[in-house]
Amino acid sequence: GDDRPTEADRERADEWLAAGRARHPRSTLEDLRPLGLGEQEPDGLTRAAYRFRPSIDLAVYAANTYSKRDVPPCVRLVPDVVESSSLETRPTVGLAASLLVENDLRVFQPWQAQLLASFWPLNTDAVLAIASCKLVSRINLAGTYWEPCESWMSSLHAADRGWSEMARTAFVLGAASLNDRLRGTAVDALIEGIADGRARPGTLAETLLHVVSGGWIKLTRFADSMREAARTSILAERIVAEVLDRLIATWAEIPRDGHAILALQVGLLSNLRQATSPEARSALARVKGTGKAAKLAKQLCSFEADDRSPAMRRAALEAAEGRIARAVRIMEWTKAEG
């Protein structure tokens, strides 16, 4: 309805907040100011903003997997002032606040993390921020030991639910993990996201560049995950190639394991009959030597785009079909709710 709260409604402030956050999950709730809610509480009146910290000391962070009391979360939360008395009745604030104590927030059954993600389905950033911290701690571990970390990534599979920056961060970290189950979860999410349009190459590349700027991501693992996703469709090949192109374009010099990215890109562009972007070509042209990476860079620089590439036409059709199917689903949901 059109009613708005007044100071007389302060006893019902928590109910008004729940209604406001259900309708506007990513906005500042100006209409609720008369209720006297704290402006510094995350996802109270003020929308919580999350940002991954790529500059962490991975060795120190991972060594304190179960005792991070003196190590800040790998995701920054703004604002970050919470009153413990409000957490039980303000679930959106409670979810955001749980990031600050993620070392104490452990689940031993997959459904427990999935339940947390279901509390606020329109905004799962808090759960995905916790997922990112747990993924960083275990990124170089073959097993997840007593905690099923992949369950924290469950919201990535929500059909037609757009990917926020935290969703993309969790995907990148999962895709670069040593653990096969985590990489598999990330790959499955990417395949689904490509099919319905959630995985957009521009924003995905932006998040990837931010995460890898820390210098501790293993590009070989990430390339393996992207290769698995690219095998599923021509559209997936095109999306993966665009993401890798933007990554390559930022290289002042090829990273130690950058040859894995170049080798994958050679295969993708050969199938698509496409060429690197001018920015990526400029970066590759600076590569000297006769090693494996240099040979791959030279090969990529020699590619020329085919404007009549059948593969690119098929990719465009697949993209259109996926978006039409998504629009039809949304239309059906709207009719059902009406």
Side-chain angles (χ1 to χ4, degrees):
D2 295 327
D3 291 342
R4 295 294 180 268
T6 65
E7 291 186 8
D9 296 305
R10 290 194 173 190
E11 290 186 359
R12 296 288 185 180
D14 294 341
E15 289 86 341
W16 276 103
L17 176 60
R21 281 289 160 219
R23 297 181 186 184
H24 304 288
R26 300 180 184 276
S27 303
T28 297
L29 302 180
E30 297 288 349
D31 291 339
L32 302 191
R33 290 193 182 279
L35 297 174
L37 296 167
E39 294 190 21
Q40 293 305 307
E41 284 193 328
D43 281 328
L45 285 181
T46 309
R47 170 191 175 182
Y50 299 87
R51 185 66 167 168
F52 183 70
R53 307 176 193 260
S55 59
I56 63 170
D57 186 327
L58 183 62
V60 172
Y61 194 86
N64 291 277
T65 298
Y66 295 108
S67 58
K68 297 199 188 73
R69 298 186 186 280
D70 298 323
V71 180
C74 67
V75 176
R76 183 186 180 197
L77 170 64
V78 178
D80 62 356
V81 178
V82 296
E83 298 178 10
S84 59
S85 60
S86 69
L87 300 186
E88 293 182 359
T89 55
R90 300 175 188 172
T92 59
V93 177
L95 281 170
S98 63
L99 172 67
L100 304 177
V101 291
E102 66 89 13
N103 55 300
D104 293 326
L105 190 63
R106 302 174 193 161
V107 302
F108 300 100
Q109 298 295 330
W111 65 264
Q112 293 173 311
Q114 293 164 5
L115 179 63
L116 282 177
S118 74
F119 286 169
W120 193 13
L122 289 180
N123 187 347
T124 58
D125 278 357
V127 175
L128 289 167
I130 296 170
S132 296
C133 292
K134 293 182 180 296
L135 287 167
V136 169
S137 297
R138 299 156 176 80
I139 199 164
N140 290 325
L141 297 178
T144 54
Y145 295 94
W146 306 112
E147 190 170 23
C149 291
E150 63 272 14
S151 60
W152 288 98
M153 303 165 66
S154 61
S155 61
L156 294 179
H157 297 288
D160 303 325
R161 193 70 74 202
W163 278 8
S164 65
E165 182 180 359
M166 285 317 308
R168 298 189 298 269
T169 298
F171 158 73
V172 171
L173 294 170
S177 173
L178 180 61
N179 183 269
D180 291 338
R181 293 171 63 180
L182 293 175
R183 284 207 315 275
T185 299
V187 169
D188 289 345
L190 178 60
I191 293 170
E192 296 166 3
I194 288 173
D196 67 12
R198 285 175 294 156
R200 300 166 56 187
T203 53
L204 196 56
E206 288 176 7
T207 301
L208 171 63
L209 295 176
H210 178 65
V211 175
V212 302
S213 66
W216 42 265
I217 288 289
K218 303 294 185 183
L219 293 179
T220 302
R221 296 179 201 158
F222 183 76
D224 287 343
S225 295
M226 298 298 271
R227 181 179 290 103
E228 287 298 317
R231 288 172 177 167
T232 60
S233 69
I234 294 296
L235 175 59
E237 287 189 358
R238 196 199 80 187
I239 297 297
V240 170
E242 289 185 26
V243 172
L244 297 186
D245 186 271
R246 298 192 186 206
L247 173 62
I248 294 169
T250 64
W251 289 348
E253 59 182 30
I254 296 181
R256 183 174 58 181
D257 52 354
H259 62 86
I261 298 293
L262 298 182
L264 175 55
Q265 189 72 328
V266 166
L268 294 173
L269 295 185
S270 295
N271 292 341
L272 295 169
R273 290 163 60 174
Q274 292 298 293
T276 58
S277 67
E279 295 79 9
R281 187 185 297 267
S282 177
L284 294 171
R286 295 193 295 268
V287 179
K288 307 298 180 183
T290 58
K292 182 177 181 180
K295 292 178 180 178
L296 291 169
K298 184 177 180 180
Q299 188 175 358
L300 285 170
C301 287
S302 68
F303 286 170
E304 295 185 3
D306 180 1
D307 294 336
R308 297 184 177 183
S309 167
M312 291 298 287
R313 289 201 296 271
R314 284 172 52 196
L317 287 173
E318 287 182 11
E321 289 170 355
R323 283 153 180 75
I324 290 172
R326 181 180 183 183
V328 169
R329 286 194 299 271
I330 293 174
M331 182 179 67
E332 292 299 326
W333 293 341
T334 304
K335 286 182 179 177
E337 292 176 358

